[in-house]
């Protein structure tokens, strides 16, 4: 007859073994009923004899431990993170670095998915789980062993061969997407706020004090690193196979790759498959397979040199809408902005997304505190793609668009056919007054480059200018000694003699700007650079535009109703007429330079260009000007109609991929310059 302690040890071992077979080998060697009966028996024995309870007892899975505050534990090996990459180019560079570091000796890569959860380090002593530690700051983390024990796929005891007496395993604790949805549905039913995303849910859960709650959340864990003091295998591949054999949950998605091309293939494959994958993954981790070569390559201060993370592009992330604010542009157009709970998206922290206009808010049916999905549209400005309506609280109110200007309090208006609301107080509303002048002096417009927004602000605040025409009547005495304030109002600085002279010189120089530039610089609503160019060419002089009828305006090439209406409104406005006459008196070009029109070249006739990236010789706008001047067209989207993509530095990777996929030739700045010369 075995003793109580022997019975407890035997039951613990038996139940753990069945668990291992069930979770790792998919083998049902015992019925659920038999398992539960044995578990109950063990529970009873432990209750009566708590001194014999084993640290790997399966009864620990159900939790019941309260951790008041988590003990801080030092990591035996630092828990570093990985360098991130977002493009193929970065990968090519990584590959080059590795090859150089290894003097071109042969090696292999292992690709794995990058699971989006909470990094964990599990320490096993004599085959039993001894400690589970969070990453923390990389050198020390929180001891969350009680909570980790509730995760069914984290083995409490290891089974198999060659198990070292001490080993450390690292991986990611995550909440499967389905479980995440179920938990949130329940919370909503109970009127509780839903959780933002599976990653936050997983890490929040693991820091809970009551391990029974942790147990109820059904978290899971994938392991991907084995660390042992003695060398027990030669490759990463072998080490994760060992982990699998010992009963760890290793995702079957890893693959050996013998070239960078195979790595890229793996990434492309998973970039699609990840959408149907039951676990959130935000990229691929690429590791050198041979452990001795990993050791040779070593680490930088922050990252291993033998591994890198490729982050999937335009990943969708979910976050909460905190509030909507409204920005007033120089034309009085109101742009609603979604202020979001900060979230990482494609490597940057996103706090805001543009909502464009009231139609967009209506399309999304946005409610207060909605959980929104955001994506990087056009690569830079994030946009809200849709709402997770499942997480909306029943009491949430629909967003009602602002009725008054947030800057000056004037009632907003919305013209028929216009998507935007406007503040009609164009002569007094500060951001409009200042914005129009800023636009007028900007590099693309009159290029009065010796002054900036701060000078404009100073001049407006001191009552020296109220509109663009006043710039041409400034005197040296107005400028010299003018006090300018920075954002920190205490630090004033005044304009010196030299700056004052420079300002006057560049204002004078601006008088030579051609008519189409002046027309653009006026800042007429909906009249951008291309439209100004078209109007100037069609009407030749400002006098002609001033008296043009609506029908005459829409007869101009590519000028539509909204633009025509805006142009008419602008010239009918008394204040604008006064400004125009002052500008004319100052000597600005109000007529197209005939010679210039005639010298336009037809070298780009019929060609459509898409411009992407940053250039050395020209600004994007200058490239655009050259295209238009040579009779080409500019488009923002790559399609089969695109003739060339002009690529600068940091060209958007999605644009590059698209151009390559459609077969649109990509040219650089030099090649473009040769084309127009
Ligand atoms: S290997 C030296 N493999 O990503 C670091 N990490 O940014 C070795 N992660 O802290 C980490 N999936 O939390 C590795 N298959 C995977 C991963 C993975 C997710 C996480 C992990 C790490 C972070 C690095």
């Amino acid at each position: 007859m075995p003793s109580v302690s022997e019975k407890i040890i035997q039951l613990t071992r038996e139940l753990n073994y069945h668990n291992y077979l069930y979770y790792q080998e998919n083998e049902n060697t015992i019925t659920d009923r038999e398992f539960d009966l044995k578990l109950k028996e063990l529970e009873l024995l432990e209750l009566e004899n708590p001194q014999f309870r084993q640290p790997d007892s399966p009864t620990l899975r159900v939790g019941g431990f309260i951790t008041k505050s988590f003990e801080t534990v030092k990591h035996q090996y630092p828990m570093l993170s990985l360098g991130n990459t977002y493009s193929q180019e970065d990968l090519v560079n990584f590959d080059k670095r590795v090859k150089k570091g290894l003097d071109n000796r042969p090696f292999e890569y292992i690709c794995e998915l990058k699971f989006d959860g909470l990094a964990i380090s599990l320490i096993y002593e004599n085959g039993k789980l001894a400690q589970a530690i969070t990453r923390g700051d990389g050198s020390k983390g929180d001891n969350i062993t009680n909570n980790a024990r509730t995760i069914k796929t984290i083995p409490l005891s290891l089974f198999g061969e060659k198990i070292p007496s001490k080993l450390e395993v690292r991986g990611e604790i995550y909440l499967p997407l389905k479980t995440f949805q179920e938990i949130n549905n329940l919370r909503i039913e109970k009127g509780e706020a839903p959780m933002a995303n599976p990653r936050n849910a997983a890490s929040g859960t693991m820091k809970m004090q009551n391990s029974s709650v942790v147990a109820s959340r059904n978290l899971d864990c994938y392991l991907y690193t084995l660390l042992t003091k003695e060398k027990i295998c030669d490759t990463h591949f072998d080490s994760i196979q060992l982990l699998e054999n010992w009963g760890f949950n290793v995702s079957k998605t890893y693959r050996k790759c013998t070239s960078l091309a195979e790595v890229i293939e793996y990434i492309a494959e998973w970039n699609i498959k990840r959408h149907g994958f039951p676990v959130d993954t935000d990229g691929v981790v690429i590791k050198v397979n041979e452990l001795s070569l990993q050791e040779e390559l070593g680490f930088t201060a922050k990252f291993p040199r033998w591994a890198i993370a490729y982050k999937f592009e335009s990943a969708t992330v979910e976050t909460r809408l905190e509030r909507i604010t409204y920005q007033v542009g120089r034309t009085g157009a109101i742009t609603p902005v979604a202020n979001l709970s900060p979230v990482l998206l494609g490597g940057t922290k996103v706090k805001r997304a543009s909502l464009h206009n009231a139609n967009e808010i209506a399309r999304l049916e946005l409610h207060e505190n909605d959980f929104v999905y955001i994506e990087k549209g056009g690569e830079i400005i994030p946009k809200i793609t849709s709402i997770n309506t499942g997480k909306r609280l029943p009491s949430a109110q629909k967003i009602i668009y602002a009725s008054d200007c947030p800057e000056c309090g004037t009632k907003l208006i919305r013209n028929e056919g216009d998507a935007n609301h406007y503040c009609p107080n164009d002569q007094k509303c500060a951001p409009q007054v200042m914005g129009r002048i800023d636009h007028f002096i900007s590099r693309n417009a009159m290029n009065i480059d010796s002054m900036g927004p701060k000078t404009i602000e100073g001049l407006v605040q001191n009552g020296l200018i109220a509109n663009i025409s006043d710039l041409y009547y400034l005197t040296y005495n107005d400028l010299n000694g003018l006090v300018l304030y920075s954002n920190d109002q205490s630090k004033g600085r005044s304009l010196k003699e030299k700056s004052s002279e420079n300002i006057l010189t560049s204002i004078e120089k601006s008088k030579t700007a051609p008519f189409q530039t002046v027309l653009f610089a006026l800042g007429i609503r909906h009249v951008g650079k291309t439209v100004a160019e078209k109007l100037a060419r069609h009407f030749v002089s400002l006098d002609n535009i001033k008296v043009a009828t609506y029908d005459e305006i829409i007869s101009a090439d590519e000028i539509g109703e909204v633009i025509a209406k805006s142009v008419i409104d602008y010239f009918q406005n008394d204040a604008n007429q006064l400004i125009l006459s002052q500008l004319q008196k100052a000597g600005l070009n109000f007529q197209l330079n005939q010679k210039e029109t005639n010298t336009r070249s037809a070298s780009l006739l019929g060609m459509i260009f898409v411009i992407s990236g940053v250039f050395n010789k020209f600004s994007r706008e200058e490239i655009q000007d050259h295209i238009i001047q040579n009779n080409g067209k500019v488009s923002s989207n790559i399609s089969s109609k695109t003739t060339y993509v002009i690529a600068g530095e940091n060209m958007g990777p999605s644009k590059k991929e698209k151009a390559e996929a459609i077969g649109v030739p990509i040219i650089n700045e030099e090649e473009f310059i040769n084309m127009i010369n």
Side-chain angles (χ1 to χ4, degrees), residues 80-82 112-115 119 135 172 224-225 285 287 304:
L80 299 181
S81 65
L82 295 162
E112 290 167 6
L113 290 184
K114 188 167 188 304
F115 306 106
R135 178 154 97 190
E172 204 81 0
Y224 43 69
T225 302
V285 182
K287 302 173 180 173

Side-chain angles (χ1 to χ4, degrees), residues 59-83:
T59 60
L60 296 169
R61 296 276 195 219
V62 295
F65 283 88
I66 308 289
T67 316
K68 280 258 159 51
S69 69
F70 297 101
E71 171 204 9
T72 307
V73 191
K74 196 171 174 329
H75 290 295
Q76 194 173 355
Y77 312 91
M79 268 182 102
L80 299 181
S81 65
L82 295 162

Side-chain angles (χ1 to χ4, degrees), residues 78-84 111-120 135 170-172 222-225 236 282-287 299 302-304 306-307 309 311:
M79 268 182 102
L80 299 181
S81 65
L82 295 162
N84 286 329
C111 285
E112 290 167 6
L113 290 184
K114 188 167 188 304
F115 306 106
D116 205 8
L118 167 83
I120 189 77
R135 178 154 97 190
R170 288 178 177 176
E172 204 81 0
Y222 277 138
L223 286 312
Y224 43 69
T225 302
H236 178 66
D282 58 345
V284 167
V285 182
I286 302 120
K287 302 173 180 173
F299 295 83
K302 277 159 68 183
F303 309 126
W306 44 265
K311 292 288 200 84

